[in-house]
Amino acid sequence: APPAGASGQAGPCFAVEGPGSDLVCFTLSAGASGRPEPRCFVPAPGRCYSLCVPAASSVPMARLHRRLQQRLRQGPFGRCRVLGLLCYGAQAALEKGFLIQDPQGGPETERALEELLRGLGELPPLLGVYEAGERGELWQCLWALRGAGGRELLRRARVVAAEEPPLHPAVPGLSHAAVFHSLEAARSVVEQCTSFIPEATAVLDLVDKCPKQSKKGEFPVIVIEGLDATGKTTVTQSVNDSLNALLLRSPPACISQWRKTFDDEPTLIRRAFYALGNYIVASEIAKASTESPVVVDRYWHSTAAYAIATEISGKVQNLPPAHHEVYQWPEDLLKPDLVLLLTVSPEERIRRLQGRGLEKTEEETELEANSLFPQKVEESYKRMENPRCQEVDASPSREEVLRTVLYLIKKHCGSL
Ligand SMILES: Nc1ncnc2c1ncn2[C@@H]1O[C@H](COP(=O)(O)OP(=O)(O)OP(=O)(O)O)[C@@H](O)[C@H]1O
Ligand SMILES: Nc1ccn([C@H]2C[C@H](O)[C@@H](COP(=O)(O)O)O2)c(=O)n1
């Protein structure tokens, strides 16, 4: 049975992304027994703190988490190491938060944290304070901040190592907080933003003008997907010319002007924006595919793959397993005939990223191309189903890649 928390019930479990991107999991035990806690996040002689907010698909909570994240990057927390923390457990809904490691361990960090939490208004998140015991064991004291500078100790429990859960703790909540499987789910998130993001109203007006459940016309619809700099723009333009098709892209031009606004928002809001963009593009595809073949540069698979890779910390192995429901195409979104996933080696992607002369330094480019994130995006693409992504090696010359793409289109959609 899971370790008993102070109340004797199954206590919460916690997961932080430790060194080497492994998940380090721990839980609380009322007793003094239990395996030694994971040492990797307890700086000696420093101190550690934690705070979490509900990870439910709620705009206020998503914005609170984002606000805390931004504040913990500033001022008195500059000397601290701040790790992403997930709190999960049999009886508790998922919470997202931070583990703050203060190597110096002075009282000022705790004071600054209290001030930060009190400034959030009523019912601030609980503050976890970790301290070493006489025999080197680790204890968590959970404090509730009360009015007039007071605070109440809710629990003092021993920190012990916990087995890594079979699924990454963020997987069960993906379909409500990052990957939207219906227009209504995405719309309800953006609707909660109209009071503080004026552009949200404009996006809703545009999506509400689109017919529900857009139906594809008789001409083929081909989507080109892939990481940035894999050659999507190059391929879509060449295919468009070769097939005398209509070229569309997601997000559509009518809302692309607001990307930066939504890119600055928490994942929940950002991905809901891109999801609504897909439903707007679907209405454009429906109309265009009655007149000619349609080529689309990014569509739902991009929205889902980038959201999954953003929410699932650590290694590629932490992704939801193949055939998980999160990879299934939304039932209310127009489905393409063929999705081609362009893939190139990280080395080739570095060459192409540098070839574009973007402002990134060579080191940034190499880090970006080789980090775990693009690997998780690409693996998520490969696990998509109904329709799946058909992989295309886009490393060869532009001409050869175009030949391959046109061959696959003809093979799958017939001669056009
Ligand atoms: N087959 C190819 N061989 C060599 N270079 C290529 C090839 N295809 C595209 N490129 C070059 O790679 C760079 C990225 O191509 P492109 O902009 O088409 O990629 P993309 O996937 O659309 O990128 P993003 O998603 O970031 O817009 C460009 O400089 C382009 O000229
Ligand atoms: N349908 C889409 C299109 C794009 N996105 C997101 C995914 C990335 O964060 C970013 C890449 O876009 P690009 O820079 O290639 O224009 O936009 C999405 O979520 N859904």
Side-chain angles (χ1 to χ4, degrees):
S7 60
Q9 299 301 314
C13 290
F14 301 86
V16 287
E17 188 172 334
S21 297
D22 287 327
L23 275 191
V24 173
C25 300
F26 59 96
T27 188
L28 302 173
S29 162
S33 62
R35 285 183 295 151
E37 71 290 342
R39 301 299 302 175
C40 69
F41 66 74
V42 182
R47 280 169 82 86
C48 247
Y49 307 92
S50 63
L51 48 99
C52 289
V53 298
S57 59
S58 128
V59 166
M61 283 300 122
R63 283 171 60 82
L64 172 58
H65 181 271
R66 180 59 171 270
R67 195 171 149 207
L68 287 168
Q69 186 176 49
Q70 290 164 339
R71 291 290 300 278
L72 289 171
R73 286 180 183 147
Q74 301 165 358
F77 309 109
R79 74 186 191 199
C80 298
R81 184 180 175 210
V82 180
L83 298 174
L85 178 71
L86 289 171
C87 175
Y88 60 98
Q91 271 81 11
L94 180 72
E95 294 195 334
K96 283 176 71 174
F98 308 93
L99 193 81
I100 301 107
Q101 301 178 316
D102 174 9
Q104 293 178 21
E108 55 277 5
T109 299
E110 188 164 335
R111 272 204 299 270
L113 277 172
E114 272 211 36
E115 188 181 335
L116 168 61
L117 295 182
R118 291 184 191 284
L120 298 175
E122 73 278 359
L123 289 181
L126 302 179
L127 176 63
V129 182
Y130 297 77
E131 50 200 23
E134 298 78 20
R135 297 183 304 282
E137 75 284 12
L138 185 67
W139 295 87
Q140 184 211 60
C141 294
L142 192 63
W143 295 93
L145 303 183
R146 301 296 184 214
R151 64 184 196 175
E152 177 190 348
L153 179 61
L154 300 180
R155 176 180 71 201
R156 185 173 187 271
R158 176 130 184 268
V159 176
V160 293
E163 294 296 328
E164 195 172 331
L167 273 184
H168 185 287
V171 168
L174 273 177
S175 290
H176 314 288
V179 181
F180 296 93
H181 284 89
S182 73
L183 165 60
E184 199 36 54
R187 194 187 183 290
S188 71
V189 169
V190 174
E191 196 162 42
Q192 295 177 54
C193 303
T194 52
S195 58
F196 55 87
I197 307 179
E199 296 84 347
T201 305
V203 172
L204 293 173
D205 290 346
L206 286 164
V207 80
D208 289 348
K209 289 192 176 89
C210 298
K212 296 284 184 291
Q213 303 272 2
S214 298
K215 294 283 178 269
K216 193 183 75 67
E218 67 275 17
F219 285 90
V221 177
I222 299 103
V223 177
I224 306 296
E225 289 283 7
L227 288 165
D228 55 342
T230 46
K232 293 183 303 304
T233 305
T234 304
V235 166
T236 49
Q237 285 168 349
S238 307
V239 169
N240 184 53
D241 298 343
S242 304
L243 301 183
N244 195 24
L246 186 75
L247 174 55
L248 296 173
R249 58 173 51 83
S250 177
C254 62
I255 64 167
S256 277
Q257 58 195 304
W258 301 316
R259 284 184 76 163
K260 179 75 178 67
T261 300
F262 286 90
D263 281 348
D264 290 343
E265 292 295 332
T267 294
L268 175 74
I269 300 170
R270 182 181 188 201
R271 300 303 169 191
F273 166 77
Y274 283 106
L276 292 186
N278 292 328
Y279 284 96
I280 295 172
V281 159
S283 66
E284 297 175 357
I285 294 169
K287 183 173 182 299
S289 57
T290 61
E291 298 161 4
S292 75
V294 182
V295 184
V296 191
D297 183 342
R298 289 194 189 278
Y299 193 22
W300 186 79
H301 284 142
S302 275
T303 311
Y306 278 83
I308 293 166
T310 303
E311 290 304 291
I312 302 299
S313 56
K315 296 180 171 175
V316 177
Q317 293 85 333
N318 292 345
L319 288 172
H323 312 307
H324 187 278
E325 62 176 15
V326 76
Y327 300 120
Q328 298 303 318
W329 189 274
E331 288 178 5
D332 64 350
L333 182 64
L334 184 147
K335 203 177 282 187
D337 296 288
L338 179 62
V339 181
L340 297 178
L341 173 64
L342 304 185
T343 59
V344 295
S345 65
E347 297 72 29
E348 176 61 18
R349 220 155 71 77
I350 289 174
R351 272 195 293 278
R352 294 184 185 183
L353 282 166
Q354 286 166 347
R356 287 198 302 196
L358 290 180
E359 67 284 352
K360 283 196 178 89
T361 67
E362 187 164 328
E363 183 191 357
E364 284 167 338
T365 301
E366 298 220 352
L367 184 67
E368 189 278 341
N370 286 315
S371 76
L372 283 171
F373 182 73
Q375 295 173 42
K376 289 189 283 188
V377 173
E378 194 161 276
E379 182 56 31
S380 295
Y381 270 131
K382 293 175 182 175
R383 297 185 183 183
M384 294 296 166
E385 293 180 337
N386 190 27
R388 54 184 289 277
C389 293
Q390 168 103 36
E391 279 185 62
V392 175
D393 175 8
S395 302
S397 70
R398 295 171 179 74
E399 297 71 24
E400 186 175 335
V401 173
L402 177 58
R403 274 197 298 276
T404 305
V405 165
L406 292 176
Y407 165 77
L408 288 171
I409 292 173
K410 185 172 184 206
K411 179 183 173 194
H412 191 89
C413 306
S415 55
L416 301 177

